[in-house]
Amino acid sequence: MQWYTFGQMLARIRIGQKAVTPDGRAVIRSAGGLLWRGGRLSGTVVEIRDYLFSDIWAISEDETVMPESGLREAHERREREMLINQYEEVREEFLRDRRLKPGRNS
């Protein structure tokens, strides 16, 4: 079983997967975000609090959400497209600013 810090878990978890701490707290990744699984907060969106950063997490598939995992590839493709678009916008702005205000090493 592979263990992840909170930040690593956020980067690795995919739609339809759940992450569990050694003490049994669980979250699930859905198309709507990261949700608590079980307990009094079950189904609510996870708020990133400082105590989460000290936990380690194990990721696995969640059988109860498997039908939603069929949307996984389409959702991840859309996420990648959004990231690429954001990167391209920032890159173009950087290059434009660099052309307008050349530095000493240009």
Side-chain angles (χ1 to χ4, degrees):
M1 180 175 288
Q2 179 124 13
W3 293 96
Y4 301 94
T5 65
F6 184 69
Q8 292 169 328
M9 180 272 291
L10 287 176
R12 299 282 306 211
I13 194 167
R14 299 174 70 193
I15 292 176
Q17 291 183 323
K18 68 180 174 182
V20 181
T21 63
D23 65 357
R25 286 177 290 137
V27 296
I28 188 156
R29 169 84 190 275
S30 71
L34 197 63
L35 306 174
W36 285 109
R37 183 63 145 206
R40 64 184 175 86
L41 295 174
S42 186
T44 62
V45 175
V46 173
E47 292 183 31
I48 299 175
R49 305 284 180 124
D50 60 345
Y51 62 84
L52 293 174
F53 289 97
S54 62
D55 289 332
I56 56 174
W57 301 81
I59 298 174
S60 63
E61 295 293 330
D62 187 347
E63 296 78 27
T64 61
V65 185
M66 288 309 289
E68 188 176 339
S69 68
L71 304 173
R72 181 185 287 171
E73 286 76 22
H75 186 79
E76 289 176 351
R77 185 173 42 255
R78 197 173 113 236
E79 282 180 345
R80 276 191 304 277
E81 289 171 1
M82 289 189 301
L83 287 170
I84 290 168
N85 289 339
Q86 288 176 13
Y87 169 77
E88 290 297 330
E89 286 176 16
V90 170
R91 181 176 178 271
E92 286 177 28
E93 184 177 318
F94 171 78
L95 292 174
R96 185 175 355 103
D97 289 349
R98 191 170 181 188
R99 282 190 298 266
L100 295 175
K101 305 174 201 168
R104 286 181 260 175
N105 297 332
S106 301

